[in-house]
Amino acid sequence: MKIFWLMVLMIFYKELFLYGIITTHASTIPKVINIGAVISFESSIGKVAKLAIEAAIKDVNSDPTTLVGTKLNVTIQDSNRSGILAIAQALKFMETETVAIIGPQDSVTAHVVSHVSKELQVPLLSFSASDPTLSSLQFPYFVRTCLSDLYQMAAIAEIIDYYGWREVIAIYEDDEHGRNGIASLGDKLAAKRCKITFKARLSPTATKDEITDLLVKVALSESRILVVHTSERWGIEVFHIAHYLGMVGSGYVWIATDWLSTLLDTNSPLSEDEMEDIQGVLSLRMHTPDSVLRSRFVSRWKNLTSVEKSNGPIGLNPYGLYAYDTVWLLAHAIDSLFRQGGNISFSKDSRLAEIRGGELHLDALNIFDEGNMFLRSVLQVNMTGLSGPIKFNSDGDLMDPAYELINVGGTGYRRIGYWSNHSGISVVPPEVFAKKQPNHSSSNQTLHSVIWPGQTSQKPRGWVFPNNGRHLKIGIPHRVSFREFVSVTGNDAVTGFCIDVFTAALNLLPYAVPYKFFPFGDGRNNPSGTELVRLITAGVYDAAIGDITIITNRTRMVDFTQPYVESGLVVVAPVWQLNSNEWAFLRPFSPLMWGVIAVFFLAVGAIVWTLEHRQNDDFRGPPKRQVVTIFWFSFSTMFFAHRENVVSSLGRLVIIVWLFVVFIINSSYTASLTSILTVQQLSSPIEGINSLKSSNDPIGYQHGSFVRNYLVDELNIDESRLVPFNSAEEFAKALKDGPHKGGVVAVVDERAYIELFLSTRCEFSIVGKEFTKNGWGFAFPRDSPLVEDISTAILKLSESGDLQRIHDKWLLRSACTLQGAKLEVDRLQLKSFWGLFLLCGLASLAALFIYLIQMVRQFSRHCPEDIESSTRSSRSTRIQTFLSFVDEKEEEVKGRSKRRHIERTSDRKDEDRLSNAGSN
């Protein structure tokens, strides 16, 4: 009983103790919590945010489940679009016991105030400052409750890549918001192999004339893809002036960041003039998924704006939804702070107390003692608001960012798709892909059709030649040899096959291309094609036209068009006519092949004789006759003229296989001999690139060609063997002299040159096969938009036959008399027929093996006495006995065996009669 009362007392005191703690903590929770807000009432974002914040405060304070016994007191100050006023108002809030500040609205002010909030530990929750450099690392007390411009710029970069554009002009306001946003755009474009070619900066105090001058510079640029990242005040002015200058017409692409969609959502409908200025423009809008909460708030919006319609209707934009959610975010964070045992207390900063005095009263600023704990509570909130799920990642940004892509047209706009960092571009809402694996495949990246500026649905090319009087600087090789391809005359006139192809391709383009040729080379040696290409990357030339081979190391420096000449490396060597002689019939087969054929003829004849000898009278007789039969039968099978019948099954098997082999050999021999006797033959000691590699003779190549590096680096041919030449005449002389008279054994060059070289020089010919596959193309800087258009033009020239006509004009020559000749046909080697011989050999050996087994069995069955006697004699005698048996005709062996059996039977009967008589 004593123990029971002791336990009751302990529980009673414990409850009293806990009640005291709870009562003490509850007494420290304030009845009112102060929150400040700094926004601009006159801006599209500010006037919507003001109404949304007021509605949120009312909803939070009337919610019985949130902040029980505590009310939020939000004081909203109007910054009136002034940065200094916004900073002053934020500092004034920090003089009072304010636990958090909603805002600032713009990124410029947020940069300044974030430094102060970091020192005073007062969180800033901005629903509109989207500058990506406002990171949690530098500004830990800055919390962005909307989407960062980092994601918006990623969406724009993906749009540009989707349409295949490569160069962009950025028009932006020259402040932290504009500069940092465009810097992020540049990074995202670089990841897509795109770039910003011109950054058009607008001063925050720019005049109409300054904007006009800037847009004139933009109009003189090459790119027609324009991204406008400004505030709504300057953005509308930019479009108004651009429309006046004729820059919102066909061929242009304008992409505005979300300032334009915000303006359209808030102030719609705009005036006719303003809508006319932005026809065909693309814009982005932060995506907020449909939900019951959002639908209810949209229904309330008309009542909320009924008292604010003095300056026209106010539409709800996404920033209003984020502002509403920011208040609820603070409410949940404060509630979490109290549940963790935190309270609200402030203290003075001792460092500010030292500068007491003056009009600023900086010593009045308070430090929020629980600011760090409260910040953690804010970042740990996981709720669903009007804008959708609200949850922060490790970088302090909202998770699952997504944008809607809109196209302005008529009196409004239409949605053409979505973008999210999870699924990329799509016509399906991002929340559909939320639980699926990320998929950025090209098949998944689709958008609805767009009406572009100029009321056209055809995708703009995205670039034009700049209308600044500058010509395209095109480098051409100043060749010494094979001037039919490119020729530079004394007055710098340029002609040739390559030049005509280029000009014909330009004539097919739907726009004019001003250009000027600049010869490259000293005119004494053929210039290096690789060096000419390198000068494009150095900015010396805008393109390179000529006999430029497309090889790997050059493609790393520039982009090439579609090849207009198919070429490859070949070997040229001296050849001579191979006349027919009395022994021409032996040339189809190599000596080894003839030897193997003869051996098999004899072997097959011997095997067939062995298999037929005991059964077939055609294969019996005197030894001399049998030898003649073997030779006659073997060689008569070549013409299928053998008279002897084959009666054994094994012999027939061997003959069937052998006749098949003979048929293949006859057919091959006939075809090869026909070619030798009817086609003019050329002979050369060089058979191709492999024979050059195995020799040590000098090899010629064209000076300035990539052939030298290829032979040394790829084929490991010693550099000392290579001899450069500058003209076709030098080629011919070196080949005629040969390696023993200071010349070369062969020349390695591209087929296009060699075909022109051989058209008038019949004493040389291509030997072996073409051992590389290359082509000639026109070189342009990386990602040049001209590459695609000229490639298309080259294909059109090829399809129409114009390319062939240009070829015939410059390169068609009368063929020499030996053009119909061919190099000596390679003799048929054993390696081409070894499979047939192997098959025949295996069949013959198998037949012999089976025949041997049959002979052993017959010998043991028909000649048991011979076996018994042979076991007592020598080995040679036993072998001789077996061979004698094999040599006998099978019928004689069977007859003798039968007679022996009858004799043994009669003897046994006589013995039985004698034994019976004796017993009687």
Side-chain angles (χ1 to χ4, degrees):
M1 182 61 72
K2 292 182 179 179
I3 295 175
F4 171 76
W5 286 113
L6 181 61
M7 292 179 64
V8 170
L9 288 174
M10 290 176 63
I11 293 172
F12 177 73
Y13 281 115
K14 180 179 180 181
E15 292 294 332
L16 287 177
F17 178 74
L18 291 175
Y19 177 77
I21 292 177
I22 294 172
T23 304
T24 303
H25 177 62
S27 63
T28 61
I29 297 177
K31 298 296 183 181
V32 176
I33 297 177
N34 295 322
I35 297 174
V38 180
I39 56 180
S40 178
F41 293 172
E42 297 302 320
S43 65
S44 297
I45 295 176
K47 58 186 176 184
V48 173
K50 176 177 179 295
L51 297 175
I53 291 173
E54 291 173 346
I57 293 298
K58 182 178 179 181
D59 293 344
V60 169
N61 288 336
S62 61
D63 187 359
T65 62
T66 305
L67 295 177
V68 179
T70 302
K71 301 294 184 183
L72 294 183
N73 178 34
V74 179
T75 304
I76 305 176
Q77 296 290 343
D78 181 13
S79 64
N80 198 23
R81 300 181 185 268
S82 171
I84 186 64
L85 186 57
I87 295 171
Q89 290 168 346
L91 293 176
K92 189 171 181 63
F93 280 130
M94 295 178 186
E95 292 180 356
T96 60
E97 294 184 348
T98 300
V99 299
I101 297 176
I102 300 176
Q105 181 177 315
D106 63 277
S107 299
V108 178
T109 307
H111 271 276
V112 178
V113 179
S114 292
H115 287 286
V116 181
S117 67
K118 177 182 177 181
E119 294 296 326
L120 301 181
Q121 301 182 16
V122 177
L124 298 179
L125 283 79
S126 179
F127 57 86
S128 58
S130 54
D131 180 1
T133 63
L134 287 167
S135 66
S136 58
L137 294 177
Q138 184 180 5
F139 306 109
Y141 282 85
F142 175 83
V143 180
R144 183 187 292 110
T145 59
C146 65
L147 300 183
S148 169
D149 275 344
L150 182 68
Y151 302 111
Q152 182 171 206
M153 298 308 169
I156 293 175
E158 199 148 342
I159 293 172
I160 292 169
D161 180 63
Y162 172 79
Y163 286 109
W165 300 315
R166 287 291 173 262
E167 296 182 350
V168 175
I169 294 176
I171 303 173
Y172 62 98
E173 201 166 342
D174 193 15
D175 56 17
E176 281 86 350
H177 175 252
R179 285 193 302 270
N180 297 331
I182 294 303
S184 297
L185 176 61
D187 294 340
K188 297 299 181 180
L189 287 173
K192 303 286 185 180
R193 286 192 63 184
C194 306
K195 61 181 178 180
I196 299 175
T197 56
F198 179 42
K199 293 183 178 181
R201 297 178 297 176
L202 282 172
S203 169
T205 59
T207 63
K208 185 176 180 179
D209 291 339
E210 290 173 343
I211 297 175
T212 303
D213 293 340
L214 185 64
L215 290 180
V216 169
K217 293 180 181 179
V218 170
L220 294 177
S221 300
E222 180 178 318
S223 176
R224 286 293 181 262
I225 313 300
L226 312 177
V227 177
V228 183
H229 183 54
T230 63
S231 62
E232 62 184 58
R233 177 179 53 174
W234 293 117
I236 285 295
E237 187 66 22
V238 166
F239 278 108
H240 178 69
I241 297 174
H243 185 265
Y244 173 77
L245 295 175
M247 296 175 63
V248 193
S250 181
Y252 282 89
V253 175
W254 290 85
I255 302 176
T257 50
D258 61 355
W259 64 265
L260 180 58
S261 62
T262 302
L263 181 66
L264 292 171
D265 286 336
T266 308
N267 300 325
S268 185
L270 300 180
S271 66
E272 291 185 7
D273 292 340
E274 289 176 326
M275 289 302 299
E276 185 67 24
D277 293 340
I278 58 175
Q279 290 296 303
V281 176
L282 298 182
S283 185
L284 293 88
R285 177 172 59 190
M286 291 183 290
H287 174 65
T288 54
D290 293 332
S291 64
V292 176
L293 289 176
R294 183 172 176 271
S295 299
R296 290 174 181 173
F297 189 77
V298 170
S299 301
R300 291 174 54 195
W301 187 251
K302 290 184 179 180
N303 296 329
L304 295 175
T305 58
S306 58
V307 295
E308 301 286 343
K309 289 187 177 180
S310 57
N311 294 326
I314 301 175
L316 179 62
N317 59 52
Y319 286 105
L321 303 180
Y322 282 108
Y324 181 92
D325 289 343
T326 301
V327 176
W328 275 98
L329 175 66
L330 282 171
H332 286 291
I334 294 171
D335 198 30
S336 175
L337 176 69
F338 290 157
R339 291 180 183 277
Q340 297 175 44
N343 55 17
I344 306 296
S345 63
F346 294 85
S347 59
K348 296 295 183 180
D349 191 338
S350 59
R351 294 170 296 178
L352 295 177
E354 297 176 358
I355 55 175
R356 182 179 302 169
E359 299 295 331
L360 293 178
H361 300 289
L362 296 178
D363 57 314
L365 299 177
N366 297 315
I367 296 177
F368 183 17
D369 297 329
E370 284 75 23
N372 189 28
M373 185 177 181
F374 180 50
L375 176 65
R376 290 198 304 271
S377 299
V378 169
L379 296 176
Q380 291 172 359
V381 169
N382 186 0
M383 57 173 274
T384 300
L386 302 182
S387 59
I390 297 176
K391 186 178 180 180
F392 296 96
N393 59 22
S394 57
D395 295 328
D397 291 325
L398 289 177
M399 299 181 68
D400 301 326
Y403 283 87
E404 298 176 11
L405 313 180
I406 66 172
N407 178 208
V408 180
T411 58
Y413 59 84
R414 63 188 183 91
R415 185 171 55 229
I416 61 171
Y418 302 88
W419 175 90
S420 73
N421 66 334
H422 182 79
S423 58
I425 289 175
S426 176
V427 294
V428 180
E431 50 268 23
V432 175
F433 299 102
K435 296 182 179 180
K436 298 180 180 179
Q437 291 294 326
N439 183 7
H440 288 261
S441 62
S442 57
S443 59
N444 189 56
Q445 308 292 297
T446 55
L447 291 175
H448 294 301
S449 61
V450 176
I451 303 300
W452 304 100
Q455 298 299 311
T456 177
S457 59
Q458 183 177 2
K459 185 196 77 171
R461 188 171 66 247
W463 66 276
V464 295
F465 275 94
N467 189 19
N468 54 10
R470 180 180 177 273
H471 288 70
L472 208 63
K473 294 178 64 177
I474 299 178
I476 59 169
H478 192 175
R479 294 195 57 84
V480 178
S481 62
F482 301 109
R483 294 164 64 88
E484 291 85 352
F485 295 104
V486 178
S487 176
V488 181
T489 60
N491 56 357
D492 287 343
V494 181
T495 58
F497 168 72
C498 301
I499 304 302
D500 281 5
V501 172
F502 177 69
T503 55
L506 289 186
N507 292 334
L508 294 178
L509 299 183
Y511 48 86
V513 180
Y515 64 90
K516 187 175 181 181
F517 291 126
F518 292 85
F520 169 70
D522 56 11
R524 295 185 297 273
N525 295 301
N526 289 327
S528 168
T530 302
E531 180 62 20
L532 176 58
V533 167
R534 189 193 65 79
L535 292 177
I536 297 177
T537 63
V540 177
Y541 299 124
D542 299 316
I545 305 302
D547 50 340
I548 304 172
T549 308
I550 304 172
I551 56 178
T552 304
N553 64 329
R554 294 175 184 175
T555 57
R556 297 191 183 105
M557 296 185 283
V558 296
D559 284 344
F560 283 94
T561 61
Q562 170 79 16
Y564 61 92
V565 169
E566 295 294 334
S567 187
L569 294 183
V570 293
V571 178
V572 175
V575 294
W576 56 86
Q577 187 172 344
L578 192 64
N579 297 320
S580 180
N581 56 30
E582 63 275 12
W583 301 105
F585 69 91
L586 294 177
R587 281 164 51 190
F589 291 146
S590 64
L592 178 61
M593 181 68 176
W594 280 118
V596 172
I597 291 175
V599 169
F600 263 82
F601 268 112
L602 295 176
V604 170
I607 292 172
V608 172
W609 175 86
T610 301
L611 298 176
E612 294 291 318
H613 178 66
R614 300 185 75 241
Q615 302 179 34
N616 196 337
D617 291 336
D618 291 340
F619 291 88
R620 298 188 65 80
K624 182 178 179 180
R625 178 186 173 188
Q626 295 185 42
V627 171
V628 173
T629 300
I630 291 174
F631 278 92
W632 164 254
F633 179 82
S634 299
F635 290 101
S636 63
T637 56
M638 176 181 293
F639 311 103
F640 304 98
H642 50 283
R643 295 174 301 176
E644 293 78 8
N645 292 323
V646 179
V647 297
S648 68
S649 299
L650 294 176
R652 289 175 177 177
L653 172 65
V654 173
I655 284 297
I656 289 174
V657 176
W658 174 242
L659 289 179
F660 175 73
V661 174
V662 169
F663 174 75
I664 298 299
I665 292 175
N666 279 341
S667 301
S668 303
Y669 177 85
T670 303
S672 181
L673 183 62
T674 301
S675 176
I676 291 173
L677 297 178
T678 58
V679 179
Q680 191 175 10
Q681 302 294 308
L682 302 177
S683 179
S684 173
I686 302 300
E687 298 179 355
I689 189 64
N690 290 328
S691 60
L692 284 182
K693 290 170 61 177
S694 61
S695 70
N696 293 317
D697 295 324
I699 303 171
Y701 71 95
Q702 190 176 176
H703 189 278
S705 171
F706 76 96
V707 174
R708 176 188 173 278
N709 291 338
Y710 181 84
L711 295 177
V712 173
D713 299 336
E714 301 296 332
L715 302 184
N716 299 317
I717 294 177
D718 192 88
E719 188 175 357
S720 61
R721 295 177 56 194
L722 304 181
V723 182
F725 297 109
N726 269 319
S727 67
E729 290 73 19
E730 292 181 5
F731 273 179
K733 184 178 183 303
L735 288 171
K736 288 178 180 179
D737 292 343
H740 302 296
K741 295 182 180 181
V744 295
V745 68
V747 168
V748 178
D749 209 343
E750 296 183 72
R751 179 177 286 276
Y753 299 122
I754 296 304
E755 288 178 347
L756 189 61
F757 172 76
L758 295 178
S759 62
T760 56
R761 296 173 176 86
C762 298
E763 64 272 28
F764 311 112
S765 179
I766 296 174
V767 294
K769 298 180 180 179
E770 186 176 349
F771 57 93
T772 66
K773 291 292 183 181
N774 303 105
W776 292 358
F778 303 136
F780 290 89
R782 298 297 295 269
D783 301 321
S784 171
L786 270 174
V787 173
E788 181 179 353
D789 291 351
I790 292 185
S791 295
T792 303
I794 290 173
L795 290 175
K796 290 180 180 178
L797 288 174
S798 178
E799 293 169 356
S800 65
D802 291 339
L803 189 60
Q804 184 62 42
R805 283 188 283 272
I806 297 173
H807 175 275
D808 295 344
K809 171 186 173 182
W810 288 98
L811 307 179
L812 187 63
R813 297 288 185 272
S814 58
C816 68
T817 58
L818 294 182
Q819 286 297 309
K822 50 189 295 190
L823 284 175
E824 180 184 1
V825 178
D826 290 336
R827 289 185 167 185
L828 298 175
Q829 304 291 331
L830 178 62
K831 63 182 180 181
S832 302
F833 299 93
W834 73 268
L836 287 172
F837 289 120
L838 178 64
L839 177 64
C840 182
L842 291 176
S844 300
L845 291 176
L848 275 178
F849 181 72
I850 296 173
Y851 178 75
L852 179 61
I853 294 175
Q854 290 177 347
M855 289 300 97
V856 171
R857 291 182 61 190
Q858 290 181 16
F859 182 66
S860 62
R861 185 171 67 251
H862 296 296
C863 303
E865 296 84 357
D866 295 339
I867 295 175
E868 292 176 1
S869 62
S870 64
T871 54
R872 295 188 293 269
S873 59
S874 63
R875 177 180 299 177
S876 60
T877 304
R878 291 197 300 270
I879 294 175
Q880 187 176 0
T881 302
F882 178 73
L883 293 177
S884 298
F885 170 79
V886 173
D887 185 57
E888 287 186 282
K889 194 173 182 179
E890 188 174 357
E891 294 177 356
E892 296 177 356
V893 171
K894 290 182 178 179
R896 187 173 66 249
S897 176
K898 185 176 181 180
R899 287 194 300 271
R900 287 179 179 177
H901 178 70
I902 293 173
E903 291 174 357
R904 284 196 299 269
T905 303
S906 62
D907 291 343
R908 190 179 299 112
K909 288 181 178 179
D910 292 342
E911 290 176 359
D912 290 340
R913 284 197 300 269
L914 291 174
S915 62
N916 291 331
S919 62
N920 290 331

